[in-house]
Amino acid sequence: MDYTTIAQWLNEARNIVILTGAGMSTESGIPDFRSTEGRWRNIDPLTVATTDAYAMNYDVFHDFYCARIAALDGVTPHIGHEIIAKWQRTRQAFIATQNVDRLHQLAGAAQVADLHGTIRTVRCGRCEQEAALQAFIEKETCTCGGTLRPNVVLFGERLPAGAWDTTMQSIQKADLVVVIGTSLRVYPVNQLPTMTNGKCIYINLQCEDDVAASYTFDAILTGKAGDILQGIDQALQLK
Ligand code: OAD
């Protein structure tokens, strides 16, 4: 599928949804989860990113999230994030992400549905009181005695209701959904592309056979998200 056709679809669309995953952030230097260099290749997510890990293995849980927080130091959005933020301003695109890094917001996106929460803020896991990020890093406890945790969604937890509901509503009325940099392995976000009656585009380094078979994408663009978004954005400017 050529960029001119995708640009035409964007121009015709009244309601655009952009749904991103970890592949959106790799070009900023943050590893994804399931690629050869992905986080889950070396660490079993069940040992670090679950409610059980938080409750019963706090030291390991804490080390894992502190390393992820430290890895955000100096990380900045790339051109792809900037283009998406621009499409939100100029085309009212709705942005939903599984990423916890807030790079869409740092690129200037005003509203983003953080479906898996954010790693940049923390709270007490017992009384839910917000706390300072530094307090989590230094392993302080809350005044109630509870341990601190990032505001991410752990395996075994529900997605934030507000983010989920607004994303589902936006997808249901969308005439164009652009899915970027996600393996579509994680429920329930992987259900979202099936909920639209509009066109659905998949942008990813590759499209696995079972993914191609499970979804009815109108276009599959394989390559780096930043390059493809630039190609589409340039085609939009030629119009
Ligand atoms: P994955 O690591 O499962 O998938 C990332 C996808 O992005 C892979 O298919 C890569 O090939 C692709 N990719 C990598 N770099 C890319 C690039 N520069 N351009 C385009 N595509 C690229 O990550 P997610 O699908 O986001 O959840 O994972 C979903 C959830 O699983 C995460 O939010 C996290 C994880 O467990 C929780 O921790 C709750």
Side-chain angles (χ1 to χ4, degrees), residues 103-131:
L103 289 184
H104 287 297
Q105 289 91 333
L106 286 174
Q111 283 181 326
V112 179
D114 287 317
L115 294 166
H116 288 171
T118 174
I119 204 173
R120 293 192 189 264
T121 63
V122 301
R123 69 176 190 272
C124 170
R126 183 191 288 174
C127 74
E128 303 287 305
Q129 175 81 29
E130 293 291 315

Side-chain angles (χ1 to χ4, degrees), residues 117-152:
T118 174
I119 204 173
R120 293 192 189 264
T121 63
V122 301
R123 69 176 190 272
C124 170
R126 183 191 288 174
C127 74
E128 303 287 305
Q129 175 81 29
E130 293 291 315
L133 190 63
Q134 197 56 31
F136 171 70
I137 291 167
E138 288 171 17
K139 231 187 226 180
E140 289 174 17
T141 46
C142 177
T143 47
C144 80
T147 49
L148 303 181
R149 53 162 291 176
N151 280 318
V152 295

Side-chain angles (χ1 to χ4, degrees), residues 22-23 26-27 33-34 40 98 116 155 182-183 204-206 225:
T26 54
E27 289 163 72
F33 295 94
R34 294 174 183 80
W40 297 157
Q98 298 167 90
H116 288 171
F155 286 101
T182 171
S183 61
N204 209 62
L205 279 183
Q206 78 290 323

Side-chain angles (χ1 to χ4, degrees), residues 21-114:
M24 186 71 219
S25 296
T26 54
E27 289 163 72
S28 288
I30 303 175
D32 65 11
F33 295 94
R34 294 174 183 80
S35 294
T36 327
E37 305 293 317
R39 286 183 204 284
W40 297 157
R41 292 290 171 146
N42 300 315
I43 307 170
D44 177 354
L46 296 181
T47 62
V48 287
T50 60
T51 47
D52 281 353
Y54 170 60
M56 301 191 297
N57 212 355
Y58 187 71
D59 287 348
V60 175
F61 170 90
H62 182 264
D63 284 353
F64 174 71
Y65 282 103
C66 279
R68 287 186 60 186
I69 291 165
L72 288 179
D73 251 12
V75 166
T76 53
H78 60 76
I79 181 78
H81 291 104
E82 283 164 22
I83 289 168
I84 290 173
K86 182 175 74 178
W87 290 353
Q88 177 166 80
R89 284 193 301 278
T90 57
R91 298 170 188 276
Q92 291 74 51
F94 180 92
I95 305 170
T97 188
Q98 298 167 90
N99 300 339
V100 294
D101 51 37
R102 292 236 159 128
L103 289 184
H104 287 297
Q105 289 91 333
L106 286 174
Q111 283 181 326
V112 179
D114 287 317

